[in-house]
RNA sequence: GGCCACGUGGCGGAGUGGUGACGCAGCGGACUGCAAAUCCGCGUACCCCGGUUCAAUUCCGGGCGUGGCCUCCA
């Protein structure tokens, strides 16, 4: 199936061909680990996981290398570490903070059903590589040393600004911040900077005497080169990173290596809003992945990770997404339907549905894929033979992993009912129904309903016997249809 | 101010130069003692104004609205 991807660099959808035949390399900007990952951070994690799965399907699992980094050196980290662990030495505080935060990140996104990347490099393990990049850039005249800093000279690169489609003149005209006196050009950016006491510090490159630390963008240039090479296939991240982060990555990597491109395809997921507003701490609508999964803070419910994932994939990745409780409710209903049918059905080695593969191959059209999925679900209800393909398709999207309805209903334990008592009451009701004592049977049904138990009567197709099944309704605003 | 993205029915959300994807909700019906579930059926949607065209929601221009980015900063 030919794969088409929208390339921010050209502002077009383009047919995708790996640079090295049958070998796909992908780099996605991961988190800066200083705090809980928020729901906006979850979007690229989920979106590029779908792409990873699709690429593995097309090229084979061993032919795709997916690198997603962890940035563990950053001013925000330094500040947060000092704030949270004032009694520890700076270095120990930073290590503690970054390790804890990275572990939390892994826990949170594992619930979203994402595969692990092939390599998850950390910035602090690549300081030497960053130094080499600095050296190379200075040697080639693309960077200069000033007051202990290494700065990239943007005027040395003819097409700087191509990714974000802005010219140097425009950017300089729009600059709102005072320019540091040691910079040659207003848009020059830092590759390396001196460390003050208490800040993380490494031996500086480019002949600088004092210790220092890397600037923001250099870590991704270093890590992508080490793990994927000087030029690779796909680079992904949020649209907010296009400028300056990715623009500067391109500048560093291309100028250091003398290559015409860094990655051939640049993909950016759209921004996320919450209930129609920008997500920000000051608006009080800031929501972390963990809060979604483990608290009732959003939409008065806990949400299973698969529900979060399905809700996220309901919007095309390049579109802005408005994160609402209603989306989660709809996703949960859909997953409940899936779980009712598929729970306990072992996964099969079938191929996923070709139409869904085609939809995903068209620049990851997940909403269309999900719509096709609804049709597959109908077929699978009627025809158990269709379930293998359905399951394989669910697997490709990563939206269902064999969970039961109860699994998909976090917080279920809190509402747990006495199963033996429920079964006794159901038996009594069936008995009353046989006697046509409908008053009594309705009374029992109401009693169960008050306990949060919903009954469903069905006839056994073979015997004609009435079989009653039951489910516990979820708490909160949205009553499931079960 | 500059650059960019988006604006589709009650809601979500694809897509297309000419027969109203799909889901949720809603309505009608079948089935059921009732209820739930299930099944069948039901929708004069494309922000506004111009232009191109036999034909525009789809292309072009302008407007309005929403959002993003605009240097080492949170």
């Amino acid at each position: 199936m030919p794969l088409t991807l929208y390339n921010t660099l050209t502002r077009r959808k383009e047919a995708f061909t790996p640079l090295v035949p049958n070998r796909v390399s992908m780099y996605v900007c991961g988190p800066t680990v200083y705090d809980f990952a928020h729901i906006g951070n979850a979007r690229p994690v989920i979106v590029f996981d779908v792409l990873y799965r699709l690429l593995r399907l097309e090229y084979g699992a061993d032919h795709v290398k997916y690198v997603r980094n962890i940035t563990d050196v950053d001013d925000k980290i330094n500040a947060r570490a000092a704030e949270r662990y004032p009694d520890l030495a700076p270095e120990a505080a930073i290590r503690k903070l970054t390790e804890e935060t990275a572990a939390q990140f892994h826990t949170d996104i594992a619930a979203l059903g994402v595969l692990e990347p092939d390599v998850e490099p950390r910035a602090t393990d690549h300081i030497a590589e960053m130094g080499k990049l600095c050296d190379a850039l200075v040697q080639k005249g693309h960077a200069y040393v000033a007051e202990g800093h290494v700065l990239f000279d943007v005027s040395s690169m003819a097409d700087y600004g191509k990714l974000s489609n802005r010219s140097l003149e425009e950017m300089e005209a729009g600059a709102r911040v005072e320019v540091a006196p040691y910079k040659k050009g207003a848009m020059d950016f830092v590759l390396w900077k001196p460390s003050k006491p208490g800040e993380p510090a490494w031996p500086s490159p480019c002949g600088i005497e004092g210790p220092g630390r890397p600037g923001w963008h250099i870590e991704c240039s270093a890590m992508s080169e080490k793990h994927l090479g000087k030029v690779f296939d796909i680079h992904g991240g949020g649209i907010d990173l296009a400028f300056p982060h990715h623009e500067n990555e391109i500048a560093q990597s291309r100028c250091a290596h003398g290559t015409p491109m860094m990655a051939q395809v640049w993909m950016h997921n759209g921004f996320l809003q919450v209930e129609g507003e920008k997500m920000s701490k000051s608006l009080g609508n800031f929501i972390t992945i963990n809060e979604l999964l483990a608290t009732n803070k959003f939409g008065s419910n806990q949400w299973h990770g698969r529900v979060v994932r399905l809700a996220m994939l309901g919007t095309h990745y390049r579109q802005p997404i408005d994160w609402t409780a209603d989306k989660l409710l709809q996703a949960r209903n859909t997953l409940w339907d899936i779980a009712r049918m598929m729970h306990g059905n072992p996964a099969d080695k079938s191929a996923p549905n070709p139409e869904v593969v085609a939809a995903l191959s068209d620049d990851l059209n997940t909403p269309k894929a999900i719509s096709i999925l609804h049709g597959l679900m109908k077929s699978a209800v009627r025809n158990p033979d269709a379930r293998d393909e359905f399951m394989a398709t669910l697997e490709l999207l990563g939206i269902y992993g064999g969970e039961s309805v109860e699994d998909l209903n976090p917080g279920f334990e809190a509402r747990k009912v006495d199963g033996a008592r429920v079964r006794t009451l159901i038996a009594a009701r069936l008995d009353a129904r046989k006697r046509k004592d409908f008053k009594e049977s309705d009374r029992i049904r109401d009693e169960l309903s008050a306990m949060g138990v919903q009954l469903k009567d069905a006839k056994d197709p073979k015997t004609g016997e009435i079989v009653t099944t039951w489910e516990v309704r979820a708490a909160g605003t949205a009553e499931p249809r079960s």
Side-chain angles (χ1 to χ4, degrees), chain A residues 202-370:
Chain A
W202 291 268
S204 294
C206 309
I208 296 168
E209 280 196 16
R213 58 209 164 99
W216 179 20
H217 321 291
I218 192 84
E219 82 281 11
C220 286
S221 286
M223 288 184 273
S224 62
E225 181 197 353
K226 177 158 183 188
H227 299 286
L228 296 175
K230 291 178 167 62
V231 179
F232 53 94
D233 289 314
I234 299 169
H235 190 130
I239 187 67
D240 52 319
L241 293 179
F243 188 89
H245 185 55
H246 292 163
E247 196 72 74
N248 291 349
E249 274 185 52
I250 290 173
Q252 292 159 353
S253 292
R254 282 183 47 199
C255 291
H257 305 318
T259 44
M261 65 167 86
M262 179 183 182
Q264 57 164 340
V265 185
W266 287 79
M267 294 178 68
H268 293 99
N269 61 272
F271 223 66
L272 178 140
Q273 282 182 273
V274 174
E275 302 284 2
E277 287 184 308
K278 180 177 177 170
M279 179 168 74
S280 73
K281 281 177 179 158
S282 59
L283 281 171
N285 62 357
F286 194 87
I287 182 92
T288 66
I289 301 171
N290 192 252
E291 285 169 334
L292 229 39
L293 300 173
T295 75
N296 285 347
K297 198 182 159 190
F298 191 76
S300 305
N301 268 294
Q302 277 176 257
W303 304 98
H304 189 94
R306 302 277 181 182
V307 171
V308 172
R309 181 180 177 108
L310 179 58
M312 194 70 88
L313 295 177
T315 300
H316 183 87
Y317 77 94
R318 280 193 280 120
Q319 294 277 38
I321 187 169
D322 187 16
W323 192 252
T324 61
D326 193 56
K327 275 195 176 75
L328 288 162
L329 286 169
Q330 283 201 21
R332 190 172 69 176
N333 270 344
T334 302
L335 272 175
W336 270 339
D337 285 346
I338 292 170
R340 276 189 204 100
M341 174 167 58
M342 300 305 287
H343 178 56
N345 270 42
D348 187 86
K349 288 183 275 310
S350 291
N353 177 269
E355 285 181 74
V356 170
V357 175
L360 294 180
S361 299
D362 179 15
D363 194 33
L364 291 185
N365 194 338
T366 52
K368 189 173 179 188
I370 290 167

Side-chain angles (χ1 to χ4, degrees), chain A residues 33 58 64 82 174 235 258:
Chain A
V33 284
E58 290 298 314
V64 184
H235 190 130

Side-chain angles (χ1 to χ4, degrees), chain A residues 359-428:
Chain A
L360 294 180
S361 299
D362 179 15
D363 194 33
L364 291 185
N365 194 338
T366 52
K368 189 173 179 188
I370 290 167
S371 118
I372 297 163
L373 203 65
H374 279 107
L376 296 180
M377 179 150 55
K378 276 189 185 167
S379 314
V381 167
R382 297 192 183 109
N383 176 14
D385 291 344
R387 292 187 184 180
D388 292 340
E389 185 194 70
F390 184 54
M391 192 68 192
T393 308
L394 291 168
E395 185 68 23
L396 174 62
L397 287 159
I399 53 180
Y400 179 66
E403 293 86 356
S404 67
V405 173
E406 286 74 23
D407 293 336
L408 293 167
N409 196 3
F412 173 73
E413 308 310 323
R415 295 188 295 282
K416 208 164 201 168
V417 296
D418 179 349
R421 165 117 182 104
V422 170
R423 279 186 287 276
T424 307
L425 285 168
I426 287 175

